[in-house]
Amino acid sequence: MSLDPVPAPQRRRMRGALSNRSFLVGLVITGAVILMALVSFFWTPYDITRLAVANRLLGLSPEHPFGTDHMGRDIFSMIMIGARNSIAVAIVAVGIGMGVGVPLGTWAAARGGWADEVLMRANDVMFAFPALLSAVMITAIFGPGAVNAIIAIGIFNVPVFARVARAGALALWPREFILAARASGKGKVLITLEHILPNIAGLLLVQGTIQFALAILAEAGLSYLGLGAQPPMPSWGRMLFDAQTRIAVAPHLALFPGLAIVVTVLGLNLLGDGLRDVLDPRLRQER
Amino acid sequence: MTAYLLRRLAIAVATLFVASLVVFSVLEILPGDPARLMLGLNASPDALAALRTEMGLDRPLAARYLDWLGGMITGDFGRSLTYSSPVIDLVKERLAVSFPLALIALTLSTIIAIPVGVFAAARRGKAADTVAMGLAQVGVAVPNFWFALLLVYVFAVSLRLVPAGGFPGWGDSWASHWQALRALILPAISLALPQAAILARVTRSATVEVLGEDYIRTARAKGLPYRRVLWRHALRNAMIPVLTIMGLQFAFLLAGTIIIENVFYLPGLGRLIFQAISQRDLIVVEGVVMLLVASVILINLVVDICYTIVDPRLRGGR
């Protein structure tokens, strides 16, 4: 009997994870963005609620590494605070997708028959609506704002997670350990909770990272159209909108918020790729 | 084969029908009376009632739904209240921008992505593969409207090669066609590159998978040159996931240009819907959304049929 708190297979998996380059780079980038958002609650280089019109549209300098915007606010500070908005929207939107989609998908897989058919057809209907367009409709109709943006993005995450959870669960149900659990008299709900969910957790985690990245892109798009977070709350998409009319005089305004989006999404995608490799080593050999 | 296609067709029609119910009910339960929005807060009750009758707002929901559905089936999408012209005319006018734009973007993305994907798959693990897939990884993360802003800055503001926005209309002379096309170049590139990144990744992984198959080894063993095996045998078999993504992308491009059309002030479908929503011109929103949903369903159906052409094995069963 080992006294080691971490069982050997898991330890091996962790070591595998840390030697996976995508995973490591993705983890560092994602961690840095989250850290930046957290730090912004306590400290930013400048107070962005204080407008200093004398300092408007400054270029890059040691005082303002990313320059200042049309109201004299420090771009770097705004990007730090904008990270909060992006992350919060994405977490809740993915949470809605998982929270609704995973129970639906696992239920359809366990129940089969009409329930499965109804869910899959409902999924078809959802997928027939172009997601971004529908998100624009929802936010435009129910009023622009961060909360409606979250709901609009969240709704379109539901069918994605329902489909992934269903496919993962369906592949598990005929397996022997599930048969054993059924033979021991466990109900479908208990089996789903005890055996199915832990075994599709990796799949869901990988999909979650991808959806997180997509949600950040979607939020940026909605904010760019003026339908996401409202000023004075800074958001990366909104900053790009403000930059557009001034692109001839101050191109740096358009550069940094966009880079922030690219770096964050890239980090999440790398993390997702790395996770998939680590959790499913078979895929790694093929790639 | 026929049974399979009929089943697919039945599902497509049913999906379209359910989608029409969703669109109608979401837009009908909206807060705000369209008649009041049009006439303003100071309208007299008589004028309001008259307009509500004219618009059919006083009739039962079910009757209005059936009228709307029946109209669409016969090609009558109703009349826009703000543009005072038939919705179908507005759509045709806007499609003259959106459709070529989507088509150019998809063509660009395909001619970049497929060779890059196949090339990377053939040299997997080598430097060329790493560089190509690294670029694709970055490309996937780029929001197309930001890329559009960068293109505007470089090619429109600094180099003054193309207009920064607006659309002159197609006109009737070659010169005006060219001006119209010039206005679509930057929007098409900004739409195409992020799409190409996704498509290149899918092409590469599908090709890598196929290259591991026995029939590829057989083809090589019987002495076919590697290049021929790669482009004829491997790519053809890798086409199924690639086609799926292309279908999704075309559907996305048709509707998802909404942001890019706003960046470049293009009078396309996306902007039509954007403006119609803010003016509460519901009949336009309903009509355009249904057309877009119908085209997504149609594209998916076509992709399914393409599967059976690309892969004869799918013709038998299912």
Side-chain angles (χ1 to χ4, degrees):
Chain A
M1 210 174 81
S2 162
L3 291 172
D4 199 325
V6 183
Q10 281 183 23
R11 216 180 329 136
R12 212 174 304 132
R13 188 176 278 181
M14 255 193 269
R15 212 178 302 135
L18 293 179
S19 64
N20 181 298
R21 206 168 26 156
S22 290
F23 179 84
L24 208 60
V25 175
L27 191 69
V28 168
I29 295 178
T30 310
V33 174
I34 293 175
L35 190 70
M36 189 168 85
L38 290 178
V39 168
S40 78
F41 280 103
F42 312 103
W43 176 85
T44 48
Y46 290 86
D47 180 3
I48 62 147
T49 58
R50 281 240 302 276
L51 310 181
V53 182
N55 290 339
R56 64 195 293 267
L57 300 180
L58 291 183
L60 317 190
S61 66
E63 290 83 42
H64 298 284
F66 292 176
T68 62
D69 76 351
H70 58 292
M71 295 203 253
R73 293 175 296 186
D74 178 53
I75 298 284
F76 184 68
S77 306
M78 287 185 69
I79 284 180
M80 281 180 73
I81 297 177
R84 268 190 230 168
N85 177 60
S86 289
I87 292 172
V89 169
I91 286 182
V92 184
V94 173
I96 292 174
M98 274 196 180
V100 182
V102 173
L104 278 177
T106 48
W107 174 68
R111 180 71 180 67
W114 64 266
D116 193 25
E117 191 67 20
V118 168
L119 182 83
M120 291 323 286
R121 294 292 80 82
N123 256 349
D124 284 349
V125 174
M126 287 291 283
F127 280 116
F129 284 89
L132 185 64
L133 183 83
S134 311
V136 166
M137 275 178 57
I138 292 171
T139 43
I141 286 167
F142 295 99
V147 175
N148 286 342
I150 290 173
I151 295 171
I153 300 168
I155 288 175
F156 287 92
N157 273 314
V158 171
V160 174
F161 283 103
R163 190 167 279 200
V164 171
R166 174 184 173 272
L170 271 185
L172 288 172
W173 275 101
R175 295 269 294 272
E176 274 149 7
F177 69 100
I178 301 287
L179 287 179
R182 295 183 76 169
S184 71
K186 282 185 185 166
K188 285 184 169 172
V189 176
L190 200 61
I191 293 180
T192 299
L193 288 176
E194 283 184 357
H195 300 289
I196 304 280
L197 275 182
N199 279 294
I200 60 171
L203 212 58
L204 295 175
L205 195 63
V206 171
Q207 193 65 41
T209 341
I210 296 168
Q211 295 307 118
F212 201 99
L214 289 175
I216 286 183
L217 283 173
E219 193 280 331
L222 288 179
S223 296
Y224 173 80
L225 291 176
L227 300 172
Q230 296 298 302
M233 178 70 190
S235 73
W236 295 342
R238 185 81 201 178
M239 291 169 79
L240 287 176
F241 174 77
D242 288 336
Q244 185 174 358
T245 47
R246 302 176 177 88
I247 194 144
V249 259
H252 67 274
L253 290 185
L255 187 63
F256 294 107
L259 278 180
I261 299 171
V262 173
V263 168
T264 308
V265 172
L266 184 65
L268 284 164
N269 284 340
L270 286 172
L271 188 64
D273 279 6
L275 269 175
R276 190 183 44 208
D277 291 349
V278 172
L279 295 174
D280 193 348
R282 273 174 308 145
L283 285 171
R284 195 194 205 161
Q285 282 155 11
E286 282 171 25
R287 282 158 46 93
Chain B
M1 167 89 172
T2 322
Y4 169 67
L5 286 183
L6 281 179
R7 190 182 127 82
R8 287 289 308 137
L9 198 64
I11 290 179
V13 172
T15 310
L16 198 56
F17 176 70
V18 177
S20 77
L21 269 176
V22 172
V23 168
F24 188 79
S25 40
V26 167
L27 290 174
E28 289 300 322
I29 57 160
L30 274 186
D33 177 351
R36 182 169 284 284
L37 272 161
M38 282 185 67
L39 292 177
L41 287 172
N42 300 323
S44 73
D46 289 346
L48 202 63
L51 184 66
R52 286 180 61 87
T53 315
E54 193 197 321
M55 290 166 73
L57 290 173
D58 52 346
R59 300 175 52 225
L61 264 183
R64 274 158 55 202
Y65 171 70
L66 288 178
D67 272 2
W68 176 66
L69 194 66
M72 280 196 304
I73 292 169
T74 54
D76 173 15
F77 285 74
R79 253 182 112 74
S80 157
L81 299 164
T82 49
Y83 296 90
S84 36
S85 61
V87 174
I88 196 77
D89 290 353
L90 289 173
V91 168
K92 277 185 196 153
E93 200 182 299
R94 300 307 183 98
L95 263 182
V97 180
S98 290
F99 190 75
L101 178 58
L103 207 60
I104 300 171
L106 188 72
T107 312
L108 270 178
S109 126
T110 309
I111 58 178
I112 299 170
I114 291 189
V116 170
V118 173
F119 180 72
R123 324 196 115 242
R124 67 179 171 284
K126 305 227 172 76
D129 177 30
T130 314
V131 171
M133 285 306 111
L135 285 176
Q137 183 76 265
V138 175
V140 172
V142 172
N144 56 20
F145 59 97
W146 179 61
F147 188 54
L149 286 182
L150 298 184
L151 289 178
V152 165
Y153 179 67
V154 176
F155 294 101
V157 175
S158 303
L159 301 176
R160 298 183 180 281
L161 288 175
V162 279
F167 187 74
W170 288 103
D172 355 87
S173 65
W174 282 108
S176 59
H177 291 345
W178 169 238
Q179 286 308 320
L181 198 62
R182 257 167 53 107
L184 293 184
I185 293 175
L186 289 191
I189 296 175
S190 22
L191 284 167
L193 273 197
Q195 302 272 19
I198 299 173
L199 201 59
R201 281 164 60 103
V202 173
T203 307
R204 177 189 175 276
S205 64
T207 312
V208 165
E209 201 161 303
V210 169
L211 284 175
E213 298 281 346
D214 289 342
Y215 54 79
I216 295 294
R217 205 176 43 206
T218 310
R220 289 283 290 138
K222 75 178 185 189
L224 285 181
Y226 186 64
R227 192 169 290 181
R228 194 181 153 90
V229 173
L230 186 65
W231 292 97
R232 295 291 283 281
H233 298 241
L235 181 59
R236 181 168 179 158
N237 282 291
M239 275 314 272
I240 285 199
V242 175
L243 274 176
T244 310
I245 300 295
M246 280 174 64
L248 286 176
Q249 289 191 337
F250 190 67
F252 165 83
L253 284 171
L254 219 44
T257 56
I258 186 161
I259 298 184
I260 289 297
E261 283 173 10
N262 268 294
V263 175
F264 291 98
Y265 307 105
L266 294 176
L269 269 189
R271 260 173 86 79
L272 175 65
I273 218 172
F274 193 64
Q275 287 158 345
I277 293 171
S278 42
Q279 291 156 338
R280 285 292 189 274
D281 196 347
L282 294 189
I283 193 84
V284 175
V285 181
E286 287 170 345
V288 178
V289 170
M290 279 316 294
L291 278 176
L292 289 173
V293 169
S295 45
V296 173
I297 292 173
L298 185 71
I299 289 168
N300 285 337
L301 196 64
V302 171
V303 168
D304 269 2
I305 296 171
C306 287
Y307 285 173
T308 58
I309 296 169
V310 171
D311 190 344
R313 282 171 301 183
L314 294 176
R315 278 176 213 169
R318 284 215 276 170

